[in-house]
């Protein structure tokens, strides 16, 4: 394989798809030019089918639009879109106690609040990325303040109502891993000791609690000391989620100048999770597995969602960058071949989100409260930069 | 079609399957002879794969075991199983405020509480059915007391934390319809004006708020005055759920001596919901539709679950009983042919619960927190009695 050529073709493809398809689709169909912010519930053709606004996606698109501006091209429309989402968040998305909502109406009227802090995490990375894009340092400070608020919420017993009663004490992979990415995105805009401390704590928790070598797996829910919980939820493996964690860690390892222990841990997670997740029969990364191979109870267990595939594309590029092992480029090709054969909608643009196990489209909407302009454009932006960085490495090594 | 012969064959089949397959499977594999109550998280072979106990299913199996005893045969093992579930509920399943849990551990330690009163509804019908089976009137009084407690919880603002914030005011079909069945099951054991009043109120709400002729549909969530809510959730049609409501109403119409208005409303709901739900391409009742034919966002939208099929089997028999229109027997045959071709596990007993749209098995477990010994045995018990009742009607008409 001519590696440089392979990566250049992909870099061009990522940039083309992002600038000619994905961002135009959401700017034309999703951006709310009346109230600000973004709609995500769009049908196959991009028509609004529900004006409920996801607070996660105000932050996620606020981040992605600024990230594209910072990493790909200085398109003022993208910067404005980012600012629109952030303004909408600041005007409408937090309750009096500072805790953010989960869903609001088109005009920002609060509709639903949940027990998590993911709305805050996405809002924070929107603000820090916008600070980098605009040069307005106040948004970096806001992001940092919000990060400290997240930590305060998490540390205040009872502030976030626990899902389970006290007899079921558990740690979740989701909040542990998202804080790595949240802190590292904010750190790119503003430095503060709480950020590295949080990253260290999360990395330590993943290593000590969530990695279970007896199953060659990273589990989603474990006991307070990492104990294996032998229930349907405790046995759950979410391969795409683990692969996302793997590249968060590879990104951090690179930030630390190629930290070998972190790199090894991340590659271990990637290799194991790929083993669990890659569907030998139909291809693609499957939604869920059970670490004891018992039947998984989530209804979507054998489906192929868009985002695990995008995480695998990023993770295999990071793994190749870290190792120069062509095995990871082969995996990148394998996941890309399957993903690009099944997800993009050649007729109406953007990608389908929800496929059956065999790759047929389960339902053709382009977005809802959980799918919108985040994983796909983030993959394209991140992978575009990775391809270019790796090509530069190769050029300088020669 | 020789109607009597057709119905007699089915009556025998229901009785055989219930007594030789379904109840033995759960008594052997689910009943917890150590702590009492029932486990439902069983794999294909019936092995316990999660000892978490569903509080819904303590009531549901408590009801079903006594219902089988009352309607099919006086098997003391069934009566004991019912009592075991009720004892477990009384010993472990209610919080200090009287609100019941959603999940408890094997020994009854509370694990999770939710914002609903379905645990209470199922516990109440277990108690009233057990009262009929055992002759112990105290359990009828307990059921009635619990029913009044449910009404008090529902009427106390803030007691059950609303899912949405005040800006989104909505009525739900689930609680409206379940109260019809809960009240009518309790009424079979003990009479009290609150029961008929609740049934009247629920029937009135279904007629005034949930039935939307402009979509030929009964909707799952509407505004306080029945307003159509044009969101993904507001447009949702759950055909199996509506068909279940149809037979609850047909049962009530028969209880009232063949009330014509109720019968007509129920048949309308059945006919409409069958139109939405029957899958012309693959057969079976599909999980969800959108009343404006937009893409449905629930991941399981195009799957075939066990329970909508069982509701359709009961509803078509009730509809035939009410009308003697052979169209409904043809529908009964149509749904039965598909259901019995795909759901029963000929090798390990009981039924699969979760099929893909085309009828292939999505995952083979026999139970989880939501599937257990309820819809299938209830269908067999109810349909056995219906077949016999209809045959008696025919015999006496001749």
């Amino acid at each position: 394989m001519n590696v440089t050529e392979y990566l250049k073709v992909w870099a061009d493809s990522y940039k083309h798809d992002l600038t000619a398809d994905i961002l135009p689709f959401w700017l034309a169909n999703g951006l709310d030019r009346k109230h600000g912010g973004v709609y995500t519930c769009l049908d196959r053709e991009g028509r609004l089918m529900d004006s409920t606004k996801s607070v996660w996606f105000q932050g996620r698109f606020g981040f992605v639009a600024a990230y594209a501006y910072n990493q790909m091209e200085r398109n003022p429309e993208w910067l404005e879109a980012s600012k629109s989402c952030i303004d909408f968040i600041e005007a409408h998305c937090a309750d009096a106690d500072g805790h953010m909502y989960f869903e609001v109406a088109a005009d920002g009227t609060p509709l639903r609040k949940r027990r998590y802090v993911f709305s805050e995490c996405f809002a924070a990375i929107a603000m820090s990325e916008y600070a980098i894009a605009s040069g307005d340092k106040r948004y970096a400070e806001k992001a940092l303040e919000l990060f400290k608020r997240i930590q305060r919420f998490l540390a205040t017993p009872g502030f976030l109502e626990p899902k389970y009663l006290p007899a079921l004490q558990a740690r979740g992979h989701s909040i542990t891993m998202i804080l790595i990415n949240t802190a590292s995105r904010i750190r790119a805009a503003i430095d503060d000791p709480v950020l590295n401390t949080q990253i260290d704590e999360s990395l330590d928790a993943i290593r000590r609690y969530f990695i279970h070598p007896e199953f060659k797996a990273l589990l989603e829910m474990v006991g307070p000391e990492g104990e294996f919980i032998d229930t349907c939820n405790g046995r759950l493996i979410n391969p795409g989620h683990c692969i996302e964690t793997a590249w968060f860690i590879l990104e951090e390892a690179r930030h630390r100048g190629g930290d070998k222990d972190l790199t090894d841990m991340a590659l271990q997670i990637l290799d194991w999770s790929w083993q669990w997740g890659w569907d030998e029969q139909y291809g693609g990364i499957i939604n869920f597995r059970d670490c004891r191979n018992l039947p998984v109870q989530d209804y979507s267990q054998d489906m192929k969602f868009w985002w695990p595939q995008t995480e695998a594309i990023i993770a295999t590029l990071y793994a190749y960058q870290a190792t120069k092992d062509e095995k990871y480029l082969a995996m990148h090709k394998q996941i890309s071949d399957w993903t690009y054969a099944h997800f993009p909608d050649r007729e109406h643009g953007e990608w389908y989100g929800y496929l059956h196990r065999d790759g047929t489209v389960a339902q053709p909407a382009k977005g809802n409260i959980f799918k919108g302009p985040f994983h796909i454009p983030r993959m394209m932006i991140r992978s575009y930069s990775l391809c270019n960085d790796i090509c530069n490495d190769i050029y300088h090594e020669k």
Side-chain angles (χ1 to χ4, degrees), chain A:
Chain A
M1 181 191 273
N2 182 324
V3 173
T4 304
E5 195 179 308
Y6 177 82
L7 294 173
K8 279 192 185 303
V9 168
W10 273 114
D12 289 348
S13 162
Y14 295 134
K15 181 162 187 177
H16 174 268
D17 288 352
L18 185 86
T19 57
D21 177 16
I22 305 297
L23 288 184
F25 182 94
W26 291 101
L27 290 169
N29 302 307
L31 202 66
D32 179 357
R33 292 169 203 276
K34 183 173 171 198
H35 309 94
V38 68
Y39 296 114
T40 54
C41 300
L42 306 182
D43 72 4
R44 184 180 172 199
E45 288 82 3
R47 290 178 301 229
L48 189 66
M49 59 177 195
D50 187 337
S51 63
T52 304
K53 281 177 174 158
S54 152
V55 177
W56 289 14
F57 268 100
Q58 306 311 309
R60 282 173 155 186
F61 192 47
F63 166 77
V64 150
Y67 196 46
Y69 184 91
N70 291 332
Q71 300 280 326
M72 212 170 266
E73 74 180 43
R74 306 227 144 226
N75 182 330
E77 212 191 339
W78 301 349
L79 193 63
E80 280 164 34
S82 172
K83 183 67 163 39
S84 173
C85 292
I86 293 169
D87 287 348
F88 188 86
I89 291 169
E90 294 194 295
H92 305 294
C93 295
D95 201 353
D97 61 2
H99 189 197
M100 288 190 179
Y101 300 112
F102 178 69
E103 291 174 357
V104 299
D107 65 1
T109 304
L111 297 179
R112 192 173 172 206
K113 201 174 171 183
R114 293 181 73 193
R115 61 182 104 228
Y116 309 105
V117 289
F118 298 111
S119 293
E120 287 81 352
C121 288
F122 298 124
I125 64 172
M127 291 170 181
S128 60
E129 203 64 28
Y130 177 78
I132 298 170
S134 66
D136 187 342
K137 286 275 178 203
R138 290 174 306 165
Y139 284 87
E141 283 153 20
K142 288 181 189 202
L144 182 60
E145 192 280 318
L146 187 49
F147 186 80
K148 291 177 179 172
R149 201 198 300 170
I150 292 166
Q151 291 189 311
R152 204 161 57 240
F153 290 164
L154 289 169
T156 307
F159 184 84
L160 304 168
E161 190 196 3
K163 183 167 181 178
Y164 296 103
L165 294 165
L168 179 47
Q169 292 289 337
R171 288 176 178 272
H173 171 219
S174 294
I175 187 64
T176 307
M177 61 83 87
I178 200 75
L179 289 175
I180 297 175
N181 185 253
T182 306
S184 81
R185 289 304 88 217
I186 297 171
R187 187 181 55 193
I190 186 169
D191 209 2
D192 190 284
V194 298
L195 300 171
N196 280 329
T197 302
Q198 177 62 61
I199 292 171
D200 283 337
E201 285 177 10
S202 282
L203 291 169
D204 188 53
I206 288 168
R207 183 184 288 110
R208 288 172 56 195
Y209 305 132
F210 293 99
I211 289 182
H212 275 252
E214 72 274 30
F215 300 117
K216 295 192 195 308
L218 192 158
L219 299 174
E220 291 297 310
M221 182 178 96
V222 295
E225 299 297 321
E227 302 91 327
F228 172 55
I229 300 173
D230 195 4
T231 62
C232 294
N233 291 333
R235 291 192 301 269
L236 194 72
I237 298 171
N238 181 332
H241 208 203
C242 301
I243 290 170
E244 185 180 11
T245 294
W247 77 252
F248 286 178
I249 300 174
L250 286 168
E251 184 172 69
E252 183 62 19
R254 188 164 172 91
H255 177 80
R256 298 183 183 188
D259 182 300
K260 186 173 180 312
D261 285 351
L262 279 188
T263 303
D264 289 348
M265 173 166 78
L267 294 172
Q268 183 73 273
I269 294 171
L270 172 58
D271 291 347
W272 282 348
S273 306
W274 182 280
Q275 278 296 320
W276 281 108
W278 179 261
D279 182 349
E280 290 291 343
Q281 190 175 350
Y282 292 103
I285 301 290
I286 206 165
N287 259 5
F288 297 114
R289 298 291 305 275
D290 178 289
C291 73
R292 287 179 52 212
N293 287 304
L294 289 164
V296 178
Q297 294 310 302
D298 188 287
Y299 306 144
S300 68
Q301 46 94 23
D302 69 348
M303 292 177 74
K304 307 285 165 59
F305 284 10
W306 77 106
W307 67 265
Q309 327 307 323
T310 64
E311 305 305 358
I313 290 171
I314 302 175
T316 49
L317 287 175
Y318 261 118
Y320 178 72
Q321 183 185 44
T323 62
K324 296 296 184 298
D325 184 341
E326 289 210 7
K327 153 187 150 183
Y328 291 114
L329 274 194
M331 285 159 66
H332 176 267
K333 182 171 187 314
Q334 190 178 339
I335 187 66
S336 298
D337 285 350
W338 200 85
T339 301
Y340 280 81
H342 294 92
F343 282 94
D345 178 356
R346 310 290 175 196
E347 196 173 338
H348 295 284
E350 240 272 339
W351 290 20
Y352 302 114
Y354 302 88
L355 308 186
H356 296 124
R357 185 174 172 194
D358 65 4
T360 54
V361 176
Q363 60 88 3
K366 293 298 158 50
N368 56 31
I369 293 297
F370 298 100
K371 181 181 184 288
F374 183 61
H375 293 93
I376 299 165
R378 180 174 73 168
M379 177 275 282
M380 291 171 177
I381 299 163
R382 191 74 286 255
S383 299
Y384 168 79
S385 299
L386 277 165
C387 287
N388 287 333
D389 290 350
I390 299 169
C391 287
N392 279 339
D393 291 352
I394 294 171
Y395 179 80
H396 287 105
E397 279 162 17
K398 276 181 183 158

